[in-house]
Amino acid sequence: MKNEICRMADIILSGNPKDIEYFLGKKTSPEEVIENCGNLKPCITGSDAHTLDKIGIFPENRFTWIKADPTFEGLKQILFEPEERVRISDSQPDDKYDYNVIERVELNTAGVWHQTIYLNQNLNTIIGGRSTGKSTLLSSIAIKFDETISVENDSFIRQLGDNVHVYWRDGQENNQKSIEYFPQNHISKISDITYSDKLLLDILLDNPQKKSAYEKFQSEVSDLFATIQSHVSLYFEKRRLYKERTLNIKNIGDIEGIKLEINKLQNQRIEIQSKLTDNQSLLSAYEKVVLRLNELRKAEQEYIKEIEILKQLGQENFVITNPAISFLGLSSNHSESLKLTIEKSILQINKDIRDEIHSFIEENLKKLQLIQSEIQDIVKGNDYIAGKNIFTENNALSEIIKKLNVLNEKFILINKEIEIANKMQSDYKDIGQKLLELHISYLDKINNIASEMRLQHEDVNLSSEITLKSDLERMLNECISLRSTAMNDLVTKVVSEYQKKTKADIINCIKDLLNKAIRNEISFKNGYDTPSFVSKILAGCWFGLRLNVEYDGDNLRDMSPGKRSFVILKLLLDFSDKKCPILIDQPEDNLDNRAIYNELVKYIKKKKRERQIILVTHNPNIVVGADSEEVIVANQNGKNAPNENGIKFQYVFGSLENSKKRVNQMGQAILKCCGIREHVCDILEGGEDAFRDRENKYGFHQI
């Protein structure tokens, strides 16, 4: 009996949340409710007063709110939209902040338009025939908020915009507020695969967390670029100095030859000294002091050299401000305070370092003074003077000693130079290894940001993966002369190894490439040499992000243009935290009617709860299916479609339930001849007769 009564009834009188859920098909399923009751049912409630004093007093203040014109036709709409048009609650449903809702638009340009259009906080649809002023109205509103917007008939729209006034529900006429405007074909243009990566990245960057991660990634890449370039310069400078040092060593002499010559002269000296038996003890004492003297002179030269280096270092600034650090976004007080703190800290640190260097110099000077004092004591000592006299009196021995002294000095100098050269070689090789590590760290950073740049919202999944940029091959072709097969093969191999995206393959490839460059086995084009090429290849981040979207089992790149446009619209709106009004010109472009009804309409119905929407459309599914709260009918004055007072553009607005029987009177303004419902049927369905003909042919209506 209950099912029979429910099947006969249009409306259920109940405020019970469980009943509301059941009759809307949410407790079981819409199909089950339709099978049992014929269709989904709206629930309403009254005060259920049993005494006069209870009339108008609702339990828990849960009123029945109906979104409609206060007419019987308005009430009937809850039968067709039982979920959207009626709500039982203690507060007004779907309420939006006043500052996010456009209340009215005042149009006042002589001969063009002169009226005020009030807007609904939810869905407002602008309809009309071709060239009736639909897009003109929408773009005239949009252009008030963004001077950079480019629209069709730009100069004409901007002239009209001077006399268009947009007022918000909070009472302000504030053109600095935010809106989102999508002109006709704009979404299909930006959804082109060529621009999809930039578009998807912009969508991701609307998310504060993703934006912060991406900005950090960009900053790290920028720092890494500068670090690698400075390291490359340092590498080649160290390598140049090493080569100069090794050449200088060759110019000083052959160390192995000098060692042989020293051994030969020492043997000769021993032979001569052995004959000087009377002075053997004196010579022995002399040799000891000479050995000590040589050690002291070697130490003296080392201290003098180190003091020179320390004095040069004392002129340097070891710590400087990092130019890549930005204070944008900080208040002026905080940014100035930070800059002052950094400046003071840098001055203090550099002072501390110079003070430390000065203490090293003082320490070396004291040691040098002691050494020089000991040298003076030795050369003035009896053992040294007596021994030296023996050598002076013996010409042959004296000559040998002179030669030995020269060779020993050379030997000491060469050993010192070799020690420095080996350190230089070790330094530049360490820098080379560091360069490889720095370059390969690009791969880590791009992998990290790729894993971060992902978002999912309901049935839309936005993901990213790393891809090799075409810039790498372009750079190689720009630097390397490709006249030989070997150079072409080299470029192909480098690109191929990078495409593998693995550290081991890239490091092996780079090592081979750099060795070839350093050995002059690569032919460069004019303007390039080994250092500039190495700087380009190592400092560049050759990997980028490829962004992709999956929706309804399809990849963005495989979607039809229409579906791609719809998905892009979803992305632009769903992944945004904005609550400002949305202005769209013909969102149905490129979509077939099935997709419009099954996807776009459902999406608009959901989105209008969150944000005010004003859109231009030619599709009845959007106006009727999405249950447009307000329909704005546009007309351009013409012989068969006159406006009042012959004004060029005129508009009439109201709800779908606004119905008035057609009255055709000579000279009457066409917008006044019937209600909004009739205009919708005429403009979007071709008229009542055309609608019935289609209904009959489809067999939906039994004749």
Side-chain angles (χ1 to χ4, degrees):
M1 184 182 291
K2 179 180 177 181
N3 284 345
E4 286 301 315
I5 293 171
C6 288
R7 185 176 287 274
M8 289 188 295
D10 289 317
I11 299 170
I12 306 299
L13 187 65
S14 174
N16 188 323
K18 292 182 179 179
D19 288 343
I20 295 170
E21 281 194 4
Y22 173 77
F23 287 109
L24 290 178
K26 292 184 175 181
K27 195 171 183 180
T28 54
S29 70
E31 291 76 18
E32 182 177 326
V33 176
I34 291 170
E35 183 180 350
N36 291 336
C37 304
N39 54 281
L40 302 179
K41 309 284 184 180
C43 288
I44 67 171
T45 184
S47 61
D48 195 23
H50 288 251
T51 61
L52 291 176
D53 61 327
K54 297 296 184 183
I55 292 175
I57 298 176
F58 294 80
E60 299 177 356
N61 284 327
R62 296 180 74 244
F63 300 95
T64 298
W65 299 82
I66 292 176
K67 181 172 63 176
D69 284 349
T71 63
F72 186 71
E73 284 297 322
L75 178 63
K76 280 173 60 179
Q77 297 305 308
I78 68 173
L79 306 183
F80 315 123
E81 299 286 344
E83 182 177 359
E84 298 296 329
R85 289 276 195 156
V86 62
R87 201 71 54 82
I88 299 174
S89 68
D90 58 356
S91 60
Q92 183 178 339
D94 295 340
D95 196 26
K96 299 177 175 67
Y97 291 125
D98 290 344
Y99 62 81
N100 279 329
V101 175
I102 297 175
E103 181 185 52
R104 69 185 189 277
V105 181
E106 294 183 0
L107 313 170
N108 190 12
T109 300
V112 179
W113 49 27
H114 181 72
Q115 70 179 111
T116 298
I117 298 174
Y118 286 86
L119 298 172
N120 188 275
Q121 68 165 4
N122 295 328
L123 176 60
N124 304 266
T125 52
I126 306 172
I127 67 170
R130 292 178 62 83
S131 302
T132 53
K134 305 181 301 299
S135 296
T136 301
L137 174 60
L138 193 70
S139 55
S140 295
I141 297 172
I143 214 161
K144 296 294 290 183
F145 297 93
D146 190 349
E147 291 297 324
T148 63
I149 287 176
S150 177
V151 297
E152 194 174 348
N153 300 321
D154 190 271
S155 59
F156 174 64
I157 297 298
R158 290 188 184 278
Q159 287 177 1
L160 289 178
D162 293 338
N163 294 307
V164 172
H165 300 278
V166 180
Y167 292 93
W168 298 78
R169 202 165 66 187
D170 60 8
Q172 296 189 61
E173 182 189 6
N174 186 347
N175 298 337
Q176 301 305 311
K177 289 192 179 187
S178 181
I179 62 161
E180 282 196 287
Y181 173 54
F182 304 103
Q184 188 175 356
N185 298 320
H186 174 71
I187 295 173
S188 61
K189 287 177 184 175
I190 63 174
S191 64
D192 187 279
I193 291 301
T194 311
Y195 309 105
S196 63
D197 274 349
K198 182 183 182 307
L199 173 66
L200 297 177
L201 181 60
D202 289 342
I203 291 168
L204 276 166
L205 297 184
D206 269 346
N207 179 289
Q209 182 182 347
K210 306 300 176 188
K211 184 177 181 181
S212 176
Y214 191 73
E215 286 176 347
K216 182 183 176 186
F217 161 74
Q218 286 185 308
S219 176
E220 288 175 347
V221 167
S222 177
D223 289 347
L224 193 54
F225 178 83
T227 302
I228 290 174
Q229 283 196 320
S230 65
H231 274 62
V232 169
S233 298
L234 189 61
Y235 172 85
F236 281 101
E237 178 61 16
K238 290 272 188 184
R239 193 170 180 276
R240 183 187 68 78
L241 291 172
Y242 166 74
K243 284 187 172 182
E244 284 184 358
R245 188 73 64 171
T246 52
L247 182 61
N248 185 47
I249 291 169
K250 286 182 181 179
N251 291 333
I252 293 171
D254 173 25
I255 192 166
E256 293 300 323
I258 290 171
K259 282 170 69 176
L260 290 173
E261 192 66 27
I262 287 172
N263 287 334
K264 185 182 79 172
L265 289 172
Q266 282 179 338
N267 289 333
Q268 290 176 2
R269 187 192 66 180
I270 291 168
E271 185 181 346
I272 293 171
Q273 287 181 187
S274 64
K275 295 174 183 178
L276 302 172
T277 54
D278 296 341
N279 299 314
Q280 197 65 44
S281 60
L282 193 60
L283 287 172
S284 178
Y286 175 73
E287 283 184 357
K288 287 181 180 178
V289 296
V290 166
L291 183 63
R292 176 60 181 162
L293 188 62
N294 287 337
E295 289 175 355
L296 290 170
R297 282 176 173 161
K298 179 183 176 184
E300 178 187 35
Q301 291 303 313
E302 288 176 351
Y303 280 120
I304 290 171
K305 183 67 175 176
E306 187 169 296
I307 288 169
E308 289 176 2
I309 294 170
L310 286 169
K311 284 181 177 178
Q312 289 176 359
L313 289 174
Q315 306 300 315
E316 300 290 337
N317 284 322
F318 291 87
V319 180
I320 59 172
T321 304
N322 185 351
I325 292 175
S326 171
F327 299 102
L328 289 175
L330 292 181
S331 66
S332 57
N333 287 342
H334 286 163
S335 62
E336 289 303 319
S337 178
L338 269 178
K339 287 176 184 176
L340 187 61
T341 302
I342 291 168
E343 186 178 338
K344 286 181 178 178
S345 300
I346 288 173
L347 288 172
Q348 186 60 49
I349 291 170
N350 282 323
K351 182 182 180 302
D352 292 344
I353 294 171
R354 290 192 187 100
D355 289 346
E356 184 80 358
I357 290 171
H358 183 71
S359 70
F360 292 160
I361 293 172
E362 291 296 319
E363 182 184 334
N364 277 11
L365 285 171
K366 288 178 182 178
K367 291 179 179 178
L368 181 62
Q369 192 175 12
L370 292 172
I371 287 171
Q372 288 174 339
S373 176
E374 189 177 349
I375 288 172
Q376 289 299 314
D377 291 343
I378 289 173
V379 296
K380 291 178 181 179
N382 293 330
D383 288 346
Y384 180 79
I385 293 170
K388 188 176 181 182
N389 287 336
I390 294 172
F391 284 105
T392 304
E393 291 168 0
N394 189 310
N395 291 332
L397 187 59
S398 177
E399 192 63 31
I400 289 171
I401 294 300
K402 285 179 182 178
K403 288 180 180 179
L404 276 171
N405 286 338
V406 171
L407 289 174
N408 277 321
E409 285 179 5
K410 277 191 176 184
F411 186 74
I412 292 169
L413 180 60
I414 290 173
N415 268 329
K416 184 64 179 176
E417 291 293 309
I418 288 173
E419 183 183 334
I420 294 171
N422 289 339
K423 181 68 170 65
M424 284 182 169
Q425 186 181 42
S426 175
D427 284 349
Y428 86 72
K429 285 187 175 181
D430 287 345
I431 294 169
Q433 183 61 38
K434 180 67 175 176
L435 277 168
L436 291 176
E437 293 170 4
L438 288 170
H439 179 69
I440 206 67
S441 68
Y442 276 129
L443 193 60
D444 291 328
K445 294 188 185 302
I446 199 73
N447 272 315
N448 291 339
I449 195 64
S451 64
E452 182 72 28
M453 301 301 275
R454 301 172 187 273
L455 277 176
Q456 186 164 1
H457 182 80
E458 296 179 353
D459 48 1
V460 178
N461 183 32
L462 202 165
S463 60
S464 63
E465 60 180 351
I466 68 168
T467 182
L468 182 65
K469 296 178 184 175
S470 58
D471 297 357
L472 174 61
E473 186 170 2
R474 187 160 49 247
M475 184 278 294
L476 292 169
N477 291 336
E478 177 188 313
C479 296
I480 298 174
S481 175
L482 303 177
R483 293 179 180 177
S484 68
T485 304
M487 292 298 100
N488 280 280
D489 291 344
L490 178 65
V491 170
T492 302
K493 181 184 177 184
V494 172
V495 174
S496 174
E497 293 300 304
Y498 269 87
Q499 282 173 338
K500 295 176 182 177
K501 304 171 193 171
T502 62
K503 287 186 178 182
D505 290 313
I506 294 172
I507 287 176
N508 290 334
C509 166
I510 282 293
K511 279 183 178 178
D512 181 57
L513 185 67
L514 298 186
N515 286 332
K516 280 183 167 63
I518 289 167
R519 293 195 300 264
N520 297 318
E521 295 175 8
I522 298 178
S523 304
F524 294 113
K525 291 179 179 177
N526 289 337
Y528 289 98
D529 55 14
T530 298
S532 60
F533 172 70
V534 171
S535 181
K536 265 186 172 291
I537 189 76
L538 291 181
C541 178
W542 305 116
F543 296 102
L545 290 178
R546 175 179 291 164
L547 301 169
N548 190 36
V549 175
E550 288 185 3
Y551 170 73
D552 196 25
D554 286 342
N555 187 295
L556 185 69
R557 288 173 169 77
D558 301 328
M559 293 176 188
S560 65
K563 187 171 184 180
R564 192 185 307 135
S565 297
F566 170 67
V567 171
I568 292 299
L569 178 63
K570 277 178 66 69
L571 286 168
L572 288 168
L573 300 180
D574 281 356
F575 290 105
S576 172
D577 293 329
K578 296 178 181 177
K579 297 300 178 184
C580 61
I582 305 165
L583 281 63
I584 317 177
D585 198 340
Q586 293 179 223
E588 70 270 21
D589 285 356
N590 301 321
L591 282 176
D592 59 63
N593 275 327
R594 183 189 295 273
I596 291 170
Y597 189 78
N598 289 337
E599 296 185 277
L600 183 59
V601 165
K602 290 179 181 177
Y603 182 69
I604 291 173
K605 286 179 76 172
K606 182 192 76 168
K607 188 54 65 175
K608 73 179 182 178
R609 298 174 194 160
E610 305 167 12
R611 300 170 67 179
Q612 184 182 36
I613 301 175
I614 309 167
L615 63 82
V616 171
T617 183
H618 291 283
N619 194 287
N621 279 319
I622 292 178
V623 178
V624 181
D627 194 30
S628 177
E629 279 78 6
E630 178 172 304
V631 181
I632 302 168
V633 184
N635 185 62
Q636 182 173 186
N637 187 56
K639 182 179 179 181
N640 297 320
N643 285 333
E644 287 182 328
N645 303 318
I647 201 159
K648 184 172 184 178
F649 294 125
Q650 206 161 61
Y651 306 88
V652 66
F653 51 91
S655 62
L656 276 168
E657 57 266 26
N658 180 294
S659 179
K660 185 177 78 174
K661 190 173 182 181
R662 185 180 304 281
V663 177
N664 292 317
Q665 293 179 353
M666 184 66 67
Q668 183 186 28
I670 192 169
L671 293 178
K672 301 292 185 180
C673 73
C674 61
I676 296 295
R677 181 185 293 175
E678 287 72 24
H679 278 303
V680 171
C681 187
D682 283 349
I683 294 167
L684 302 182
E685 304 285 4
E688 190 176 348
D689 291 341
F691 181 81
R692 283 178 177 165
D693 283 347
R694 288 196 297 276
E695 185 182 37
N696 291 334
K697 287 183 179 181
Y698 288 136
F700 297 150
H701 177 67
Q702 298 300 318
I703 302 174

